[in-house]
Amino acid sequence: MESKRYENFPIGIVALSNGVSLAIYGLGIYILSGLGMVVTGAYILYCLWMELALLRGSCIHCYYYGKTCAFGKGRLCSLFFKRGDPQRFAQKEFSWKDMLPDLLVTLFPLVGGIILLIRQFDWLIVGALALLLLLTFSGNAIVRGTFACTHCKQRDLGCPAEQLFNKQV
């Protein structure tokens, strides 16, 4: 059964998608704050750089440019950047290596949390790490698998991430 494709995603999906991302960033900030302001500031700058790179490198070429995608980035992107070439989005090669910047959003706080736990065990850090991992893997999988990607029109036009994750072996 084919799921409905959204021309503009409902605001509830946008809120859920961004809520998961912001919670991951917030947990990372909380965990890394135990290592000082410089480390925390560097993490915040990294997260901002990553979001900006996504807007500039992918969102400008997406079907949802100027529209409400599942993450709200199509509208945001159109406020700051000129429209790109939609063919570039579909033709882009995407590999596991391209996911490294996304994974580092979790890996940095994970390593920082382990360092903090070695220094001094703290149940709050353990809980924050557990929640961080849960949201990174299960939260993102649910958001993308149930609410975002299944209803995305760009998926039908060609999505490199969809092609990577749904390769037929």
Side-chain angles (χ1 to χ4, degrees), residues 32-33 35-44:
L32 291 173
S33 69
L35 296 174
M37 286 180 33
V38 172
V39 173
T40 306
Y43 178 74
I44 291 168

Side-chain angles (χ1 to χ4, degrees), residues 11-41:
I11 197 69
I13 291 176
V14 176
L16 175 66
S17 302
N18 284 301
V20 169
S21 294
L22 290 172
I24 289 169
Y25 295 155
L27 286 163
I29 291 167
Y30 169 73
I31 293 165
L32 291 173
S33 69
L35 296 174
M37 286 180 33
V38 172
V39 173
T40 306

Side-chain angles (χ1 to χ4, degrees), residues 77-138:
C77 181
S78 68
L79 296 174
F80 298 103
F81 303 104
K82 287 184 182 178
R83 175 104 169 114
D85 179 6
Q87 289 299 314
R88 284 192 62 193
F89 192 98
Q91 294 170 349
K92 182 178 177 177
E93 290 289 322
F94 191 76
S95 70
W96 291 103
K97 178 185 74 170
D98 296 312
M99 287 192 55
L100 184 60
D102 291 321
L103 294 173
L104 290 176
V105 167
T106 297
L107 188 60
F108 290 148
L110 182 62
V111 170
I114 291 169
I115 291 168
L116 290 170
L117 290 172
I118 290 170
R119 285 185 186 170
Q120 180 177 348
F121 187 83
D122 183 345
W123 280 108
L124 283 175
I125 297 297
V126 172
L129 287 171
L131 188 54
L132 176 70
L133 291 171
L134 181 72
L135 286 173
T136 297
F137 296 106
S138 298

